[in-house]
């Protein structure tokens, strides 16, 4: 579907609106509160964004137990394509990756976990990439400082870890299978 005017998406007064020029195509209420960067690993993507044929919007509940979710709408019709628990951390190759962690107690230090959403179909699948210990380096060091060490780009998840031998990064292709063996990089600067 080709359009001479580009689609504009805005969020005002808790309403997500899609316009084509001056014509309003659709509106949807923005339930919940804006997410903060204190939820889950690494920096988050913007609260709402156009990605492929989808406009996604992330929100968190205002209940006692903070639960965050992301809704994906068809950019032309506003039809809800998916609702997935978690916040977006990466987009690429027609997919969106969301973390599933909404509080510190849910953090896993031995794996990278989340949900991968196909932006064409709206179908989602859980992903879990296991961080292996390095041979001869003992157990992985489990600390809260590990949370900020996980980073994402359009292809890879970079999970920073530490063991008796020092720091390292386990790189996973987040589009790939859960059973993949990560690339281990001993120089954290190579993961940027």
């Amino acid at each position: 579907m080709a359009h001479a005017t580009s689609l504009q998406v805005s969020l005002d007064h808790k309403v997500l609106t899609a316009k084509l020029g001056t014509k309003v195509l659709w509106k949807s209420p923005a339930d919940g509160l804006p997410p903060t960067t204190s939820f889950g690993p690494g920096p988050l993507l913007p609260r709402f964004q156009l990605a492929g044929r989808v406009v996604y919007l992330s929100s968190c509940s205002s209940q006692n137990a903070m639960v965050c979710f992301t809704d994906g709408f068809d950019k032309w019709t506003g039809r809800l394509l998916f609702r997935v628990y978690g916040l977006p951390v990466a987009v690429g190759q027609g997919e969106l990756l969301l973390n599933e962690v909404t509080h510190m107690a849910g953090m896993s230090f031995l794996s990278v976990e989340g949900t991968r959403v196909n932006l064409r179909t709206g179908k989602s699948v859980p992903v879990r990439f296991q961080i292996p210990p390095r041979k001869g380096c003992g157990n992985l060091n489990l600390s809260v400082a590990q949370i900020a060490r996980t980073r994402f780009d359009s292809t890879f998840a970079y999970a920073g870890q530490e063991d008796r031998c020092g720091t390292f990064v386990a790189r996973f292709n987040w589009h790939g299978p859960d059973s993949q063996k990560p690339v281990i990089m001993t120089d954290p600067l190579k993961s940027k």
Side-chain angles (χ1 to χ4, degrees):
M1 180 183 285
H3 295 280
T5 307
S6 63
L7 183 74
Q8 297 175 337
V9 180
S10 62
L11 180 63
D12 295 313
H13 307 292
K14 295 191 174 191
V15 175
L16 185 66
T17 304
K19 287 182 170 182
L20 191 60
T22 58
K23 180 183 178 187
V24 174
L25 296 178
W26 55 269
K27 291 184 176 194
S28 180
D31 298 329
L33 304 170
T36 67
T37 56
S38 63
F39 299 111
L44 301 173
L45 294 178
R47 180 178 186 202
F48 71 95
Q49 182 170 303
L50 181 61
R53 70 172 271 225
V54 172
V55 174
Y56 71 76
L57 171 67
S58 298
S59 299
C60 296
S61 71
S62 56
Q63 308 299 331
N64 290 341
M66 189 66 76
V67 175
C68 299
F69 55 91
T70 300
D71 291 332
F73 303 93
D74 180 281
K75 72 180 181 180
W76 298 116
T77 66
R79 183 174 63 90
L80 183 66
L81 299 172
F82 61 85
R83 172 170 272 194
V84 177
Y85 289 100
L87 300 173
V89 292
V91 65
Q93 301 176 35
E95 296 181 309
L96 180 66
L97 181 66
L98 298 101
N99 67 17
E100 292 182 343
V101 178
T102 55
H103 52 82
M104 296 293 282
M107 284 303 303
S108 170
F109 302 102
L110 301 176
S111 62
V112 176
E113 299 177 21
T115 302
R116 186 173 54 222
V117 180
N118 182 306
L119 293 173
R120 189 177 53 78
T121 64
K123 296 207 186 270
S124 62
V125 294
V127 295
R128 185 171 193 264
F129 306 116
Q130 194 67 36
I131 303 170
R134 294 188 293 178
K135 188 172 180 150
C137 293
N139 293 329
L140 299 177
N141 179 18
L142 306 181
S143 86
V144 173
Q146 311 293 331
I147 294 168
R149 288 185 173 173
T150 302
R151 296 283 181 254
F152 303 89
D153 63 25
S154 61
T155 305
F156 298 108
Y158 303 90
Q161 250 311 342
E162 193 173 311
D163 56 23
R164 197 172 59 225
C165 298
T167 60
F168 68 96
V169 172
R171 186 186 77 185
F172 301 89
N173 180 335
W174 60 266
H175 303 281
D178 287 0
S179 60
Q180 70 184 274
K181 188 172 183 175
V183 173
I184 302 296
M185 299 180 288
T186 55
D187 182 356
L189 296 177
K190 289 182 182 175
S191 67
K192 295 185 178 181

